[in-house]
Amino acid sequence: MAINYDEVEVGTQLPAQSFPVTRATLVRYAGASGDFNPIHWNEKFALEVGLPDVIAHGMFTMAEAIRVVTDWVGDPAAVVEYGVRFTRPVPVPNDGVGAVIEVSAKVAKKLDDRKVQIDLLATSGGQKVLGMSRAVVRLA
Amino acid sequence: MALDPSFIGRSYPPTDPYEVGREKIREFAIAIGDANPAYTDAEAAKALGHRDVIAPPTFPFAIAFQAAGQVVEDPELGLDYSRVVHGDQKFLYSRPVQAGDRLTVAVTIDNIKSLAGNDVLTVRGEVADETGEHVVTAIMTLVARAADGAGE
């Protein structure tokens, strides 16, 4: 059931989602993405370079955020543009619980060619972790 | 030491092809916890009009970043990678990456600037398939931090 451009209004909220992230998540993501920077899995190293703890890959946070859009639209190929700014790291403590990335999104603009601009908001621990986070999606 | 702005516009030769495998896409989808069947089930992907399983939107970063290594490790440019954080990232898609794609990346330095003592380097990777058709453009800004600043 594809989302229809004509039925979408500016301000329409997409279903918000929460994404947990633990040390195990980061190890798995490091392997899958090929980004083995130790700041994402080695606490001693992270502290030595001045970070508060091991931090999530920015690209992991970016990957989670767009899931709010791709789950809404169904076909991930509908995403024609996607950009974010990494404004703040997501520390992931080694307590078995980790961190949570909260993502909400809304239709910000209706563009031509049945496209819409979606503005995303990603926070963790009450802090905004992505800035200028937006996607352009072509709807049915 | 600030980076030399005369490197703006420098292009690097296209990389050797990266072959996109179904199992690599599956591994990536599991790693981000995304159960969209278009990533793992070829029939579901075909029902959406794709040739085979497709990759999640941020998957091309891994390919583009590997290609950007030509810039990051260019001894003439002299970037201090130990101080680098990822400042921002953008993708412009013509189509999703699909299993079976053989992708090459042509890298260009789009911008170099100095902001509050930080070196800010913008690198664009044009990702094309084996027929030369554009698949996705990946634009990344890398920030070599002088002291404390924004980043992932």
Side-chain angles (χ1 to χ4, degrees):
Chain A
M1 198 176 61
I3 306 286
N4 191 290
Y5 176 85
D6 300 316
E7 291 164 9
V8 167
E9 292 171 7
V10 170
T12 298
Q13 293 279 340
L14 281 55
Q17 295 190 52
S18 298
F19 304 103
V21 46
T22 66
R23 294 288 179 87
T25 316
L26 296 184
V27 170
R28 190 182 280 270
Y29 183 78
S33 69
D35 182 346
F36 294 101
N37 189 329
I39 60 174
H40 304 307
W41 52 269
N42 184 331
E43 192 168 312
K44 179 168 177 284
F45 185 92
L47 294 174
E48 277 171 8
V49 298
L51 294 166
D53 206 329
V54 162
I55 62 168
H57 304 70
M59 288 307 301
F60 176 82
T61 304
M62 187 177 185
E64 297 308 311
I66 197 65
R67 287 174 56 190
V68 166
V69 177
T70 54
D71 283 357
W72 176 69
V73 77
D75 182 359
V79 179
V80 295
E81 273 185 47
Y82 178 33
V84 307
R85 183 170 295 167
F86 302 105
T87 51
R88 191 180 280 271
V90 176
V92 180
N94 188 27
D95 57 5
V97 178
V100 177
I101 298 164
E102 312 263 6
V103 181
S104 62
K106 66 166 193 278
V107 177
K109 280 182 195 164
K110 293 188 83 168
L111 310 171
D112 57 7
D113 201 19
R114 304 190 77 78
K115 291 186 290 196
V116 295
Q117 179 187 314
I118 310 284
D119 284 356
L120 295 140
L121 176 64
T123 62
S124 186
Q127 305 267 20
K128 189 172 167 181
V129 294
L130 298 178
M132 302 285 289
S133 181
R134 66 179 49 147
V136 174
V137 181
R138 184 175 287 113
L139 301 177
Chain B
M1 191 181 68
L3 296 177
D4 180 356
S6 73
F7 277 75
I8 296 170
R10 175 173 290 213
S11 292
Y12 295 77
T15 55
D16 288 337
Y18 176 103
E19 297 197 14
V20 180
R22 285 182 179 182
E23 293 303 333
K24 188 65 196 178
I25 292 176
R26 179 192 302 275
E27 180 190 10
F28 189 88
I30 291 170
I32 62 170
D34 195 330
N36 193 316
Y39 303 143
T40 52
D41 178 347
E43 294 310 314
K46 284 174 187 165
L48 294 170
H50 306 302
R51 184 188 70 224
D52 203 328
V53 293
I54 63 172
T58 61
F59 180 87
F61 178 78
I63 305 166
F65 188 66
Q66 197 175 42
Q70 296 170 100
V71 179
V72 170
E73 292 156 17
D74 186 336
E76 291 179 47
L77 181 65
L79 182 70
D80 178 359
Y81 189 64
S82 70
R83 294 188 301 131
V84 166
V85 296
H86 198 176
D88 63 48
Q89 178 65 41
K90 188 168 192 182
F91 298 99
L92 306 166
Y93 309 91
S94 287
R95 66 162 176 85
V97 168
Q98 301 181 41
D101 277 338
R102 300 182 82 245
L103 302 174
T104 57
V105 188
V107 169
T108 300
I109 298 178
D110 265 1
N111 204 5
I112 291 173
K113 58 189 174 185
S114 186
L115 275 181
N118 300 327
D119 282 325
V120 182
L121 175 71
T122 304
V123 177
R124 174 168 47 92
E126 298 286 357
V127 182
D129 66 18
E130 60 188 330
T131 69
E133 289 292 316
H134 178 260
V135 176
V136 56
T137 299
I139 303 164
M140 66 193 77
T141 298
L142 303 176
V143 182
R145 296 198 290 178
D148 224 22
E152 64 171 346

